[in-house]
């Protein structure tokens, strides 16, 4: 009887461990972009909400940048979607390399990325964003037949303003991104 109980306890422990691992895998897939490994939009929205609450509570600034890969459709159309995926992964890595440990970046959607810079002044946020822009511009992605598309990105950069919702901050960054596109792309427009 005791052996049977011990065996049932071992089986129960294995199942609980399996359920824990499955739960962690589901949580990761719910919050992570499968292509780039960055935070996905759902995760970014939660982080924005938390950072806005913290910034309001402690009267701290944060910078917010939205970037869009310039002429990305051309890359997909000319080189194929696999090349587009490689470009997005390379850009993700360039963004990640450009940030500090406590900064947050993620795939906002399609070829758009969002960068959250906690406790960061406007000047410092501009420096970080320019570093990201430069790192993307310097990327090379080797494709078959020796071709390598030039990658650039346009950025809208703003700072959280006390009392506003994070969606107001995001909308302002998005408007500034559109201005960057209209001004000729491959640039940071701040406001």
């Amino acid at each position: 009887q005791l052996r049977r109980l011990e065996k049932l306890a071992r089986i129960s422990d294995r199942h609980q461990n399996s359920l824990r691992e499955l739960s962690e895998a589901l949580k990761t897939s719910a919050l992570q972009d499968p292509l780039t490994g960055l935070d996905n939009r759902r995760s970014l929205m939660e982080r924005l909400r938390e950072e806005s609450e913290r910034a309001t509570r402690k009267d701290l600034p944060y910078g917010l940048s939205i970037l869009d890969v310039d002429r990305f459709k051309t890359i997909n159309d000319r080189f194929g979607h696999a090349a587009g995926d490689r470009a997005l992964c390379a850009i993700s890595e360039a963004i990640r390399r450009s940030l500090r440990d406590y900064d947050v970046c993620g795939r906002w959607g399609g070829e758009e990325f969002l960068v959250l810079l906690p406790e960061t002044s406007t000047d410092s946020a501009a420096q970080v964003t320019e570093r990201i822009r430069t790192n993307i511009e310097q990327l090379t992605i080797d494709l078959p037949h020796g071709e390598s598309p030039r990658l650039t990105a346009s950025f809208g950069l703003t700072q959280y303003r006390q009392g506003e919702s994070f969606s107001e901050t995001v909308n302002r960054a998005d408007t500034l991104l559109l201005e960057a596109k209209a001004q000729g792309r491959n640039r940071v427009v701040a406001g």
Side-chain angles (χ1 to χ4, degrees):
Q1 189 77 348
L2 184 59
R3 273 188 241 141
R4 288 181 72 201
L5 285 174
E6 288 172 346
K7 184 176 180 179
L8 284 173
R10 283 192 304 273
I11 291 170
S12 176
D13 288 347
R14 279 193 299 245
H15 285 297
Q16 284 182 1
N17 287 337
S18 294
L19 286 173
R20 238 187 318 275
E21 290 170 8
L22 180 60
S23 177
E24 281 300 311
L26 286 172
K27 183 178 178 184
T28 298
S29 69
L31 300 176
Q32 193 175 65
D33 176 61
L35 177 65
T36 63
L38 296 176
D39 287 354
N40 65 16
R41 190 178 187 115
R42 173 183 286 166
S43 177
L44 288 168
M45 296 285 279
E46 181 62 25
R47 299 291 295 271
L48 281 165
R49 185 188 61 72
E50 290 169 359
E51 189 58 32
S52 294
E53 288 173 0
R54 193 171 79 82
T56 298
R57 199 172 50 251
K58 295 188 174 190
D59 195 27
L60 294 169
Y62 72 78
L64 180 73
S65 179
I66 297 179
L67 68 107
D68 184 74
V69 181
D70 296 327
R71 297 181 171 90
F72 186 73
K73 185 180 180 326
T74 304
I75 293 170
N76 275 339
D77 291 349
R78 184 167 175 210
F79 301 105
H81 290 279
D85 287 352
R86 287 177 62 195
L88 291 174
C89 289
I91 289 166
S92 299
E93 189 53 38
I95 296 168
R96 212 182 333 244
R97 274 194 331 265
S98 305
L99 298 177
R100 303 162 297 188
D101 289 340
Y102 52 88
D103 294 331
V104 178
C105 66
R107 190 166 173 200
W108 192 237
E111 63 272 10
E112 282 190 333
F113 296 84
L114 183 138
V115 178
L116 175 62
L117 305 165
E119 296 184 33
T120 306
S121 69
T122 303
D123 290 342
S124 294
Q127 290 173 1
V128 172
T129 304
E130 181 60 29
R131 183 169 57 238
I132 295 168
R133 189 201 64 76
T134 301
N135 285 343
I136 291 171
E137 185 179 45
Q138 293 173 351
L139 286 174
T140 55
I141 298 175
D142 295 324
L143 299 174
H145 313 295
E147 295 188 77
S148 181
R150 181 170 181 248
L151 298 173
T152 62
S154 300
F155 296 76
L157 172 64
T158 194
Q159 191 165 39
Y160 171 76
R161 297 175 184 162
Q162 285 296 325
E164 73 180 357
S165 68
F166 71 81
S167 60
E168 291 172 299
T169 311
V170 169
N171 288 339
R172 190 170 47 258
D174 200 41
T175 299
L176 293 165
L177 167 62
L178 295 174
E179 285 183 36
K181 293 281 191 185
Q183 290 179 21
R185 297 180 171 84
N186 192 27
R187 66 191 65 232
V188 177
V189 172

